[in-house]
């Protein structure tokens, strides 16, 4: 079941990336599967040349500080470029 969910998420991300690329937007997708030091790794690598970061979040309502994941909160706090949060 976990494998199917992972496969669906990857397929969905790739379709979104293809649509953006077809419009001439250079983009890269990363799906976080487990707790990792994503923010520092991403900001040191792919984010070095980006103008905007768009991240999905599955939390619903409530206060941002208590419901956003730690990687998302860290990215908002540390990113040198704007971060857009999209509810998934």
């Amino acid at each position: 079941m976990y494998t199917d969910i992972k496969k669906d998420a990857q397929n969905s991300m790739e379709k979104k990336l293809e649509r953006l690329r077809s419009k001439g937007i250079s983009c890269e997708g990363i799906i976080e599967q487990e707790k990792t030091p994503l923010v520092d790794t991403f900001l040191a690598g792919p984010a070095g040349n980006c103008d905007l970061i768009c991240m999905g979040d599955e939390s619903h309502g409530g206060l941002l500080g208590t419901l956003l994941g730690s990687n998302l909160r860290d990215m908002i706090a540390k990113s040198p470029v704007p971060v857009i949060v999209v509810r998934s």
Side-chain angles (χ1 to χ4, degrees):
M1 183 168 152
Y2 177 75
T3 304
D4 290 339
I5 293 170
K6 179 179 170 182
K7 214 181 281 186
D8 288 344
Q10 289 171 332
N11 289 337
S12 177
M13 174 71 77
E14 194 53 44
K15 287 178 185 176
K16 291 173 185 173
L17 293 173
E18 285 174 19
R19 280 196 306 261
L20 292 169
R21 289 176 183 140
S22 73
K23 296 179 182 195
I25 299 170
S26 175
C27 55
E28 183 174 331
I30 297 173
I31 298 176
E32 179 191 25
Q33 297 174 33
E34 52 190 69
K35 182 68 178 149
T36 62
L38 173 72
V39 174
D40 295 328
T41 303
F42 182 74
L43 291 177
N49 296 321
C50 72
D51 299 316
L52 176 72
I53 297 171
C54 180
M55 295 181 72
D57 183 60
E58 292 185 358
S59 59
H60 305 289
L63 301 171
L64 284 178
T66 58
L67 293 178
L68 293 181
S70 60
N71 277 331
L72 184 53
R73 284 194 314 270
D74 286 350
M75 186 67 78
I76 292 168
K78 295 179 180 179
S79 175
V81 298
V83 176
I84 294 176
V85 179
V86 179
R87 188 168 66 180
S88 300

